[in-house]
Amino acid sequence: HASLPLVINTWPFKNATFTAWSVLQAGGSVLDAVERGCARCEAEQCDGSVGYGGSPDESGETTLDAMIMNGNTMEVGAVADLRRIKNAIGVARAVLERTDHTLLVGESASVFAENMGFVAEDLTTNKSVNIFSQWLKGNCQPNYRKNVSPDPSTSCGPYRPRSTPTPRQQQQSERTRHANQRSHD
Amino acid sequence: TIGMVVLDGSGHIAAGTSTNGLTHKVPGRVGDSPIAGAGAYADSSAGGAAATGDGDVMMRFLPSYLAVELMRAGADPSAACEAAISRIKRHHSQFFGAIICANTTGHYGAACNKVSGFTQFHFMVSNPETDAPVLKSVDCL
């Protein structure tokens, strides 16, 4: 299967592939194709793991991470813990093209995005509120905390440090249960 | 999470990722997706790769960088992907994750770590032979 051009992406996100391929066919650059393909997934909230309204954190907020890399120049633009901006890959592209930096994070990344013309809006949806509510009702399970009190495997926070560490083997088996095909990076 | 690698007809490569991360994460947590070499990596002289899965574990091993460097050294994309997964598996046998790889000639491959409920990894490909997005899959290691 050696032939160019090529678009390949993780998971069965067909529309993202189609969009990236269409950009290439229309004469766009590889960066354009990656940006538009990933943006399509953000807009469509691909399997709930991309874009707004998915994967709420412990406080119920959705935050976004994105990165784009130019394999010719080795330039990288990335954002992490981005809040209130839906088009994370677009902001990553802006970091690449409009700064000499590589990675902007958190609230400051959102301010950068707004200054670059991206619209700030709530990333919460009814679905993410429901996921968060169910998590609270289920005693905050699954839970990524460890070595804290109260016991994070049975109780919600707030948490404080605990002196007796959880055995490493138990931590690993718990970890396996957390990340899965519906919750992943 | 979506991870994507794109090559044009001249062999120029770009890679990217976008994600909202793990559900119920501790606020402030960032995964592998925005880290070059972890979530994705591209070098037009060697190839591109993008990883997906449990970013807290995967980002410690820079699997995308490793896969690209293996392709630079002559490994085919499938072998490069498998080696990147195996490197993590050596330390975290039950980690959830997968990776896609493509070299400069348009050859591609993928690999994943087999855990309960995840025995096959699905990914999408479009090239002149398919002329449309085609769903591919690989059995996990």
Side-chain angles (χ1 to χ4, degrees), chain A residues 84-157:
Chain A
R84 301 187 305 280
I85 308 289
K86 288 184 175 177
N87 183 200
I89 190 73
V91 182
R93 179 89 183 259
V95 172
L96 185 152
E97 294 188 334
R98 304 187 187 284
T99 79
D100 285 328
H101 298 309
T102 297
L103 171 63
L104 298 183
V105 304
E107 202 61 45
S108 299
S110 302
V111 171
F112 167 80
E114 288 187 72
N115 289 341
M116 291 300 109
F118 292 87
V119 178
E121 51 194 323
D122 191 357
L123 302 188
T124 305
T125 62
N126 289 339
K127 184 180 176 185
S128 66
V129 168
N130 186 50
I131 293 170
F132 179 56
S133 299
Q134 292 301 313
W135 183 71
L136 290 176
K137 285 178 188 171
N139 296 318
C140 302
Q141 302 305 308
N143 193 302
Y144 288 97
R145 304 267 180 170
K146 68 179 183 184
N147 300 327
V148 293
S149 178
D151 183 353
S153 68
T154 56
S155 303
C156 294

Side-chain angles (χ1 to χ4, degrees), chain A residues 1-2 4-11 17 42 48-49 51 55-56 58 65 67 69 71-72 175 180-181 183-185, chain B residues 1 3 5 7 13 15-21 23-25 29 32 44 52-56 107-108 117 122 124 126 128:
Chain A
H1 46 242
L4 296 174
L6 170 73
V7 175
I8 181 170
N9 62 265
T10 57
W11 306 108
T17 323
E42 291 172 348
S49 71
S55 303
E58 280 185 351
D65 303 337
M67 184 264 286
M69 181 168 190
N72 288 342
R175 174 106 219 152
N180 55 54
Q181 290 184 69
S183 175
H184 57 76
D185 295 289
Chain B
T1 304
V5 177
L7 290 82
I13 304 178
T17 60
S18 183
T19 185
N20 53 34
T23 309
H24 313 310
K25 65 182 93 59
R29 178 266 187 190
D32 63 329
S44 296
T52 184
D54 183 346
D56 291 308
H107 286 88
Y108 60 85
H122 292 89
M124 299 297 306
S126 192

